[in-house]
Amino acid sequence: MTADFIDLLPDPDRPGGRLLLGIRHFDEPFLLTVSLSQGLGSSELWLDRGRAGKARLAEFRRIGDRVLFVVRNKHFQTYGDAAAVRAGQESFPLSVVWSGPVLREENGAAVVDATGLALADHDRIAEHLYDEEQGEYAVDDARSLPLVADSRTGPSATRLPALLTFAGPGRGTAVRAVAADPRALTVVQQLNLVRLPSEPLPVRRFHPNSGGYGVGYADHGRVGVGDTQVRMQPRFRAGPQAEPIVFRVDPAVPEPFRSAVIEGGNWWREAFALIGLPDAYRVEAGDEAFDPYEVGVNGVVWVHRSGRGWSLGQGLTDPRTGEILHARVRLGSQRLEQVRALGEALLAPYGRPDEAERLAAVEELVLARLRHLAAHEIGHALGFMHNFASTTHPKPSVMDYPHARITVTDDDRIDLSAAYSTGLGPWDHFLVAHAYGHFADEDAALAQLRAEATESGLRFVSDEDAQGPLAAHADAVTWVTGGDARQALETMLRARRIALEGFSRGVLPPDRQTGELEERLTLLHLLHRHEVIAVARLVGGVRYAYGLAGEDGRGTEAVDAATQRSALTGLARLLRAEQLALPQAALSALTPPAVRYGRTEQYLDSGAGRVFDPLDAVRVAVTLVTEQLLEPARLNRVAWQHAMDPASPGVTEVVDALLTVTWRRTDPVPTELPGGVAVQYTAAWTLLNHLLTVLREGTLHAAVRTSLRSALRRFAAELRQGGHDGQREAADLISGVLADPDAVHLDPLPRVPPGAPN
């Protein structure tokens, strides 16, 4: 097959055995991208069907009778005069990843045997498997071959698929869970060589408060002239003269889910219409010829995995301009089961007189979540980042992470009828206008858009400032509904109580084994987990906004003292037995998993052998709170804020608040609580173990560590006055850790089952 870019040539000597390419263009940069069309299907490994690896700049070079395949780091580019460009190119290394002899000249092309190029591990899968502790793997050439008949070429791109077999020890748990023979992992790699547009799209400069991804490169030719870091807003070419942005949905998505994906994805049409581009974007069903690996096709791919996993939206960008050349979304099918399990656990539909009505509510919950998920992941593919502060907006953004909005009626019934918002929020309209709008004076118009968004209260906070132990922004929380985290916690606790009191075998389809009741109970027991994180974010919390030094801004401000103290009190009471004890009816319904079944990571661990362990359930629920409030970075912030404003709670107050509801509890534990005294006692010991663990292993500032040690020393003296054996033992434990931390055994913190994705 002859093309303007690269020719695919038949091999009369070994038909289908060698991949012969005719190289027409040398020293012309193009994009090298790698996809997997046959994946490993493990949520732990992320080597899915539809995976798109990182793009690199590449080119063919000819030196004498050999052709080199050269890869360059696209994050270092230099522009300017010839001397500047040469200095930039010679300052950073090239990578020659393949070379081969010229076999002959044919029709103006240098013919090479590129079989070795197609069979190379361009996405470093072997390295990834090693990093994920699956063992040392390497491509086995004897069991790998180029798929010559499936190769494609054209004027703008060439695709070279290959079947790669990675040979290795086969002892890793993730590969053993999914592979027929984990010693031979066979995938299909799609190697794409993509020409850059001959007419580059004008660059739209990235602004940190725009909500877009900031792609770019370092241009050291700008040294002494301007910032060497060049950042751009990634975006498709859109406008009256451009082709429409079309996403096609994998026909493997079954109905009614495919229609839900199309409907949710098309929510973005409204935003394009509002900027005068009503026909610039659409989502439609893919036909039987659907091929998401074809360059230029924007595909929504249906991915199956073993275990709980994320969906993703990715775009391939021109590294010079940020233009998105094509995009791919991966929707994980197991997300449907996660949401369905939540709905069934909340409504316990099976065997009820209104079973059909409840099941319809569960099904609509799943469809509503899928609509939102499709809009979210396609939003990433359009160039937009997460916004985890959108719960403070009049209507949340689809770029947020939404948990089901669970409401409770006046007669104590759980209502899921408005679980997920429909359509775009105002932030989403802003995203499209800022990335895709056409303006006479671009800089002024974009600045005005950002100013209007800020004035209307549209806050933007993304990943690092919203997730993980170092996150501190009070408004940036995931999987929480409603702007007031404290009220959201109260609502979720009420729904949790109602669902737990109604827990029965009716939470499972009648043909499922009863051991799965434990998993559904775990969902309900930890239902408030995300709200706990959101409320804890207020303690030692701060607020700030992204921006530029030349713009107005207020820096970082601490959450007010009254709000912090209210949040601390609200979280501390979750350590009372009334919040921790599970209803007897729920406990009585449980059985261990049957033979040929087993507990997964979604279950709670058990210290009681094969059966469910209520006290381990208590330990995990306590840890939900303590892992947030006792996180070292939070305690360091609390200490500083208290030093700046003594009205704010300090480290000692945080510790005392938790001890007051556990070890210092003075009111009796209600006798009707199943195992109430044991539950409260377990909560107290779990807290103390966590306090001592933070003291021994945490990265606390010296003054914070001193405050914590002093609080514990006083508490140990207090315990010795109590006279109870458990109190004396706790005092001895504290004294031992204070004297020699390494000489004292502390229990490992309990494993908390994953709560996301939802």
Side-chain angles (χ1 to χ4, degrees):
M1 186 187 303
T2 300
D4 179 53
F5 183 28
I6 296 172
D7 298 343
L8 291 175
L9 302 174
D11 184 359
D13 300 324
R14 295 170 54 191
R18 291 191 301 174
L19 178 66
L20 299 185
L21 301 184
I23 311 301
R24 294 178 171 276
H25 299 272
F26 292 97
D27 305 312
E28 176 188 314
F30 54 84
L31 281 173
L32 165 68
T33 72
V34 186
S35 299
L36 292 182
S37 58
Q38 170 77 52
L40 291 186
S42 169
S43 294
E44 296 181 48
L45 299 178
W46 293 97
L47 298 172
D48 305 325
R49 171 186 189 242
R51 170 185 166 90
K54 292 183 178 179
R56 284 158 285 177
L57 279 170
E59 60 191 66
F60 287 104
R61 291 189 179 182
R62 183 168 180 174
I63 300 178
D65 63 352
R66 295 192 68 84
V67 171
L68 309 180
F69 190 76
V70 177
V71 176
R72 292 193 285 126
N73 189 335
K74 65 186 177 73
H75 297 295
F76 295 99
Q77 300 181 56
T78 305
Y79 296 95
D81 58 30
V85 171
R86 178 182 176 183
Q89 291 178 341
E90 293 178 353
S91 294
F92 299 99
L94 302 173
S95 296
V96 178
V97 298
W98 172 86
S99 75
V102 176
L103 302 180
R104 62 180 184 272
E105 305 285 344
E106 184 174 308
N107 297 324
V111 179
V112 296
D113 176 1
T115 302
L117 173 63
L119 297 185
D121 181 12
H122 291 280
D123 206 19
R124 296 156 65 177
I125 290 175
E127 180 180 328
H128 179 75
L129 291 168
Y130 180 81
D131 291 342
E132 294 298 319
E133 300 180 349
Q134 302 304 303
E136 294 190 22
Y137 282 83
V139 174
D140 183 349
D141 291 337
R143 289 178 281 176
S144 303
L145 68 156
L147 301 178
V148 178
D150 297 330
S151 298
R152 301 284 184 271
T153 193
S156 61
T158 298
R159 183 170 62 168
L160 307 174
L163 187 147
L164 303 184
T165 298
F166 291 84
R171 291 189 291 271
T173 56
V175 294
R176 289 175 68 87
V178 295
D181 184 342
R183 297 169 299 178
L185 306 178
T186 301
V187 301
V188 174
Q189 172 183 271
Q190 303 279 348
L191 192 64
N192 294 291
L193 314 180
V194 184
R195 295 185 88 173
L196 296 170
S198 57
E199 296 184 8
L201 180 72
V203 169
R204 178 150 297 176
R205 288 188 296 176
F206 170 73
H207 189 281
N209 208 35
S210 68
Y213 284 106
V215 300
Y217 56 89
D219 182 351
H220 289 87
R222 294 170 55 85
V223 170
V225 178
D227 188 357
T228 58
Q229 299 300 315
V230 178
R231 292 181 174 87
M232 305 163 288
Q233 162 76 55
R235 56 186 184 140
F236 281 94
R237 198 175 293 241
Q241 307 304 316
E243 292 292 320
I245 305 164
V246 181
F247 281 81
R248 294 186 171 86
V249 178
D250 194 338
V253 184
E255 289 291 2
F257 309 123
R258 188 188 317 158
S259 293
V261 170
I262 294 170
E263 181 181 345
N266 274 319
W267 289 350
W268 291 105
R269 297 188 71 177
E270 176 186 43
F272 280 94
L274 287 175
I275 61 170
L277 300 174
D279 300 319
Y281 166 89
R282 69 178 184 272
V283 180
E284 62 188 27
D287 57 22
E288 293 303 316
F290 175 77
D291 184 358
Y293 310 106
E294 189 68 37
V295 173
V297 172
N298 305 311
V300 179
V301 185
W302 195 235
V303 177
H304 306 309
R305 304 188 187 102
S306 171
R308 191 172 194 152
W310 297 86
S311 297
L312 297 98
Q314 299 171 281
L316 173 67
T317 58
D318 182 340
R320 305 168 302 173
T321 65
E323 179 183 357
I324 302 173
L325 304 178
H326 76 103
R328 188 176 307 140
V329 168
R330 282 182 276 165
L331 294 183
S333 62
Q334 78 279 8
R335 295 287 285 274
L336 303 183
E337 294 308 308
Q338 295 164 14
V339 178
R340 180 172 281 109
L342 175 63
E344 290 174 343
L346 287 167
L347 298 182
Y350 299 102
R352 299 284 192 113
D354 58 348
E355 177 178 313
E357 179 183 341
R358 290 175 183 249
L359 286 177
V362 172
E363 189 66 16
E364 176 51 36
L365 177 76
V366 173
L367 294 173
R369 179 68 186 102
L370 193 53
R371 293 183 197 105
H372 198 289
L373 180 63
H376 179 98
E377 300 303 344
I378 290 176
H380 283 316
L382 288 170
F384 308 140
M385 296 185 73
H386 293 127
N387 186 353
F388 294 134
S390 86
T391 52
T392 64
H393 298 180
K395 183 178 180 180
S397 166
V398 300
M399 300 313 299
D400 209 333
Y401 279 174
H403 193 276
R405 185 182 295 271
I406 305 169
T407 57
V408 179
T409 65
D410 292 338
D411 58 348
D412 276 356
R413 289 171 59 90
I414 289 176
D415 183 3
L416 300 177
S417 61
Y420 296 100
S421 60
T422 300
L424 304 182
W427 179 256
D428 306 312
H429 291 131
F430 163 80
L431 289 174
V432 172
H434 197 280
Y436 290 95
H438 292 254
F439 310 102
D441 185 343
E442 184 170 294
D443 288 346
L446 294 178
Q448 181 64 25
L449 278 175
R450 294 191 299 270
E452 291 171 355
T454 299
E455 290 168 6
S456 61
L458 301 184
R459 298 172 183 168
F460 166 55
V461 190
S462 200
D463 293 69
E464 287 86 351
D465 295 303
Q467 299 188 87
L470 302 182
H473 201 295
D475 297 325
V477 292
T478 57
W479 311 111
V480 172
T481 57
D484 188 333
R486 292 167 294 173
Q487 183 56 54
L489 176 61
E490 293 304 313
T491 300
M492 197 61 79
L493 287 173
R494 187 181 175 198
R496 173 180 178 269
R497 175 184 59 79
I498 292 169
L500 284 172
E501 289 175 351
F503 188 86
S504 69
R505 291 193 174 194
V507 302
L508 270 180
D511 60 350
R512 302 277 279 275
Q513 61 99 16
T514 56
E516 294 178 61
L517 288 167
E518 275 193 32
E519 184 179 11
R520 302 296 167 92
L521 183 63
T522 299
L523 280 174
L524 298 180
H525 183 51
L526 307 181
L527 187 65
H528 60 307
R529 63 191 306 158
H530 306 296
E531 288 71 23
V532 166
I533 295 172
V535 175
R537 196 65 61 76
L538 299 170
V539 180
V542 294
R543 292 186 172 94
Y544 49 88
Y546 308 132
L548 302 177
E551 300 171 335
D552 292 337
R554 300 178 62 181
T556 300
E557 299 178 340
V559 173
D560 67 274
T563 298
Q564 291 199 41
R565 192 161 282 110
S566 171
L568 177 59
T569 302
L571 290 176
R573 69 183 176 86
L574 298 182
L575 305 192
R576 289 173 62 88
E578 291 87 337
Q579 297 290 347
L580 297 169
L582 289 165
Q584 184 58 47
L587 294 173
S588 298
L590 302 181
T591 69
V595 176
R596 301 288 184 180
Y597 296 90
R599 292 185 174 93
T600 69
E601 65 172 2
Q602 309 300 323
Y603 287 66
L604 295 167
D605 292 337
S606 176
R610 287 274 298 154
V611 298
F612 182 81
D613 188 344
L615 295 183
D616 260 347
V618 171
R619 294 177 65 234
V620 170
V622 170
T623 302
L624 284 183
V625 176
T626 57
E627 71 179 351
Q628 296 300 318
L629 288 179
L630 301 182
E631 204 286 316
R634 186 182 314 284
L635 293 179
N636 288 339
R637 291 195 303 273
V638 164
W640 172 251
Q641 291 179 7
H642 180 69
M644 294 295 293
D645 178 10
S648 294
V651 172
T652 300
E653 185 173 344
V654 171
V655 174
D656 285 344
L658 299 174
L659 292 174
T660 296
V661 297
T662 52
W663 290 96
R664 292 171 176 157
R665 177 170 180 164
T666 56
D667 60 314
V669 177
T671 56
E672 64 271 18
L673 287 180
V677 173
V679 166
Q680 193 65 78
Y681 194 57
T682 299
W685 274 101
T686 303
L687 166 63
L688 181 59
N689 185 75
H690 205 147
L691 282 166
L692 295 172
T693 299
V694 170
L695 181 62
R696 185 169 73 178
E697 302 176 2
T699 53
L700 299 170
H701 292 320
V704 182
R705 190 165 56 249
T706 298
S707 294
L708 181 54
R709 289 174 62 89
S710 298
L712 288 169
R713 188 177 292 109
R714 289 192 299 270
F715 180 54
E718 176 187 328
L719 287 171
R720 294 191 190 283
Q721 302 300 315
H724 187 276
D725 286 347
Q727 292 173 315
R728 287 193 295 270
E729 183 180 351
D732 290 344
L733 181 65
I734 294 171
S735 298
V737 171
L738 293 178
D740 187 358
D742 295 331
V744 178
H745 169 76
L746 295 176
D747 293 334
L749 301 180
R751 182 190 65 86
V752 180
N758 284 318

